[in-house]
């Protein structure tokens, strides 16, 4: 299937209010350009350097989403252009984002990553850490937290996936209602229909658009 028709098919299954982020990590710029030509404007990458290289050569009206684990020493390379940093999973990332945003006279938007999966390996705050970090947000003058991001367990068990997404939605409602949060980033190729049912505002989809990745 072509990239254009894959995008069209996915979009036909998403409510108009849900933002589709095309996850283009490891893919060559020619394929991103193809998606761009089909109308796609939001792209997701998980490595700062790769995102910065693609940013340099592709049209400047693309909104770049950093969806991966953030290394603090790389933040300076994306501070001037990144649209939304999804994977904020420790206080140190907020501190460095704030510092680098100040330097380029911007406010950087981000979401806090919450650990909702059973797997040990997925990053993110747990419930008690989340309460603590949310309480500290006022100290960051150049970072605007807009909501939460999470990844469900990689499993065929839809009820488990649904329960994990619902726990993220509950945290989003708990903390977001008084803060005008408007980003609930959850759902990938394998589970985005469930994420949308659970209230996702942003889905991050890679392989269903660009094909499988070879690392
Ligand atoms: C790679 C990645 C995605 C997209 O995964 P697909 O299964 O290819 O859709 C979504 N979110 C994050 C955080 C990722 O690293």
């Amino acid at each position: 299937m072509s990239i254009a028709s894959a995008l069209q098919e996915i979009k036909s299954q998403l409510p108009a209010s849900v933002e589709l982020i095309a996850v283009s990590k490891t893919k060559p710029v020619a394929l991103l350009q193809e998606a761009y030509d089909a109308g796609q404007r939001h792209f997701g990458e998980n490595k700062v350097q790769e995102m910065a290289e693609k940013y340099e050569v592709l049209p400047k009206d693309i909104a770049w989403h950093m969806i991966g684990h953030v290394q603090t020493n790389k933040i300076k390379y994306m501070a001037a252009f990144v649209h939304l940093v999804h994977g904020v999973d420790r206080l140190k990332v907020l501190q460095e984002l704030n510092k680098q945003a100040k330097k380029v006279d911007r406010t950087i938007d981000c979401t806090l990553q919450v650990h909702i999966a059973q797997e040990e390996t997925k990053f993110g705050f747990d419930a008690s850490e989340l309460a603590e970090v949310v309480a500290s947000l006022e100290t960051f003058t150049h970072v605007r937290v807009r909501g939460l991001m999470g990844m469900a367990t990689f499993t065929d068990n839809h009820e488990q996936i649904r329960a994990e997404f619902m726990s993220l939605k509950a945290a989003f409602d708990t903390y977001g209602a008084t803060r005008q949060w408007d980003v609930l980033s959850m759902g990938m190729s394998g589970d985005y229909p469930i994420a949308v049912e659970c209230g996702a505002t942003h889905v991050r989809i890679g392989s269903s658009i660009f094909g499988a990745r070879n690392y």
Side-chain angles (χ1 to χ4, degrees):
M1 196 182 342
S2 74
I3 286 173
S5 52
L7 281 167
Q8 196 173 28
E9 184 167 316
I10 293 164
K11 286 209 155 179
S12 73
Q13 291 164 47
L14 294 176
S17 59
V18 173
E19 195 70 66
L20 169 59
I21 300 166
V23 175
S24 47
K25 60 190 184 197
T26 79
K27 297 295 177 182
V29 290
L31 296 190
L32 281 74
Q33 183 70 51
E34 205 176 317
Y36 181 91
D37 292 341
Q40 183 64 28
R41 292 295 179 271
H42 289 256
F43 290 85
E45 291 284 337
N46 70 341
K47 294 210 165 65
V48 172
Q49 204 154 329
E50 184 177 343
M51 182 170 74
E53 284 166 15
K54 288 171 173 175
Y55 163 77
E56 285 301 325
V57 298
L58 284 163
K60 290 297 172 285
D61 61 341
I62 288 176
W64 292 99
H65 294 255
M66 178 62 202
I67 62 166
H69 185 66
V70 181
Q71 291 174 272
T72 50
N73 61 342
K74 302 283 169 61
I75 288 173
K76 56 178 175 287
Y77 303 118
M78 65 172 170
F81 72 89
V82 70
H83 178 72
L84 183 67
V85 180
H86 293 239
V88 173
D89 62 356
R90 28 199 222 293
L91 210 50
K92 201 167 162 236
V93 173
L94 280 173
Q95 288 161 348
E96 184 65 15
L97 277 172
N98 196 60
K99 180 177 157 192
Q100 296 299 334
K102 215 184 253 180
K103 276 193 191 168
V104 294
D105 198 21
R106 288 186 76 201
T107 298
I108 296 181
D109 285 348
C110 65
T111 57
L112 304 174
Q113 183 168 358
V114 183
H115 185 270
I116 54 171
Q118 270 176 1
E119 292 128 330
E120 289 282 325
T121 54
K122 294 201 171 142
F123 297 106
F125 296 107
D126 65 27
S128 65
E129 292 168 334
L130 183 63
E132 213 172 298
V133 71
V134 167
S136 78
L137 292 179
E138 268 106 78
T139 58
F140 299 105
T141 52
H142 289 68
V143 173
R144 178 168 49 222
V145 171
R146 291 181 50 188
L148 302 177
M149 177 269 207
M151 292 169 83
T153 303
F154 188 71
T155 173
D156 290 333
N157 184 340
H158 285 196
E159 286 322 303
Q160 182 181 348
I161 294 169
R162 187 179 306 276
E164 291 173 0
F165 284 151
M166 285 312 289
S167 74
L168 190 61
K169 168 73 161 117
F172 175 81
D173 289 342
T174 299
Y175 296 111
T178 56
R179 296 180 173 82
Q180 281 82 47
W181 280 2
D182 61 353
V183 179
L184 182 54
S185 168
M186 58 187 193
M188 316 183 6
S189 292
D191 57 19
Y192 75 87
I194 304 173
V196 168
E197 283 171 22
C198 295
T201 65
H202 291 60
V203 292
R204 311 175 308 268
I205 300 181
S207 43
S208 291
I209 298 169
F210 297 107
R213 289 176 293 274
N214 325 299
Y215 285 97

